[in-house]
Amino acid sequence: MQSFIKHTGLVATMDRANVDTDQIIPKQFLKRIERTGFGQFLFYDWRFEEDGTTPNPNFELNQAAVKDASILVTRKNFGSGSSREHAVWALDDYGFRCVIAPSFADIFFNNCFKNGVLPIALPEADIDHLFAAADRGPLQLTVDLEKQTVSDGDGWERSFEVDSSRREKMLQGLDDIGETLNFEAAITEYENARSW
């Protein structure tokens, strides 16, 4: 898993609440066994016209101004629906390192930390501010996980909360398996000491 320490990136906004995992990555694309390659199908039903290949010119992420966005700002209850990790894999593979919203579905929120995408919950007033700022022109934000701040470089800065254990794992780029491997020597010592 890629570590997350400090990231500065272009913001894409999605003015939609209750975006569920079926919308993030539709079920027909879940047949892949790798964690990669899902980005091309992110928000598939919204990004493309009915033919499945023509970009929908009205969809937020299809706007030229946010082509290389790596921070997604959206509305409440993002990631609701099923527990599929593929939703986070698709966001990551597309290029998003961070999602900022007023609230997240619990399982999606947990899956983000396990897969290197930082979910940040900010009050609705701050989300409204970010939408308004993005409407005025391209918006870049800096997300600093060490300091637990989001800032725009023009004086706007907010703090966010992250569980200390999750924060440390993301800073080090450790998923659950990586964290377990930190104890490899102790595990080996235990296994060697056991009498079978």
Side-chain angles (χ1 to χ4, degrees):
M1 182 173 90
Q2 185 179 0
S3 65
F4 192 114
I5 299 169
K6 186 175 183 178
H7 175 76
T8 298
L10 180 65
V11 170
T13 57
M14 181 176 289
D15 198 2
R16 302 168 191 242
N18 305 307
V19 173
D20 68 39
T21 53
D22 292 319
Q23 293 158 328
I24 297 171
I25 182 74
K27 64 185 177 306
Q28 68 266 31
F29 303 114
L30 305 184
K31 298 171 188 169
R32 302 176 59 86
I33 58 172
E34 307 90 4
R35 291 184 178 202
T36 58
F38 289 98
Q40 62 188 317
F41 308 120
L42 180 70
F43 301 119
Y44 185 84
D45 293 334
W46 293 340
R47 278 177 54 212
F48 299 101
E49 300 285 0
E50 286 187 25
D51 65 8
T53 57
T54 305
N56 175 355
N58 299 316
F59 182 61
E60 297 94 321
L61 298 187
N62 289 341
Q63 306 310 307
V66 297
K67 181 178 179 290
D68 296 315
S70 58
I71 298 172
L72 179 63
V73 175
T74 187
R75 298 296 183 180
K76 67 181 179 180
N77 197 32
F78 188 81
S80 59
S82 71
S83 61
R84 65 184 69 153
E85 278 186 287
H86 305 75
V88 180
W89 298 348
L91 286 162
D92 180 53
D93 194 58
Y94 189 82
F96 286 113
R97 296 293 331 271
C98 178
V99 181
I100 303 173
S103 60
F104 297 89
D106 287 343
I107 295 173
F108 175 85
F109 187 77
N110 293 331
N111 284 342
C112 282
F113 285 104
K114 292 174 186 254
N115 291 283
V117 174
L118 181 62
I120 297 175
L122 292 179
E124 297 227 18
D126 290 330
I127 299 298
D128 290 340
H129 169 84
L130 294 174
F131 270 93
D135 283 346
R136 291 191 293 272
L139 173 65
Q140 277 204 334
L141 292 176
T142 296
V143 178
D144 189 326
L145 183 55
E146 287 185 310
K147 294 180 181 176
Q148 294 179 221
T149 59
V150 180
S151 59
D152 67 0
D154 288 324
W156 184 89
E157 182 175 287
R158 293 295 182 271
S159 297
F160 60 89
E161 295 296 320
V162 178
D163 172 81
S164 60
S165 173
R166 288 177 167 165
R167 178 177 170 271
E168 283 307 310
K169 284 200 268 188
M170 286 202 79
L171 288 170
Q172 295 177 45
L174 296 174
D175 59 12
D176 291 342
I177 293 171
E179 182 183 30
T180 301
L181 290 175
N182 277 341
F183 301 100
E184 185 174 14
I187 292 168
T188 301
E189 182 180 336
Y190 172 79
E191 289 293 323
N192 288 338
R194 273 189 78 173
S195 60
W196 296 93

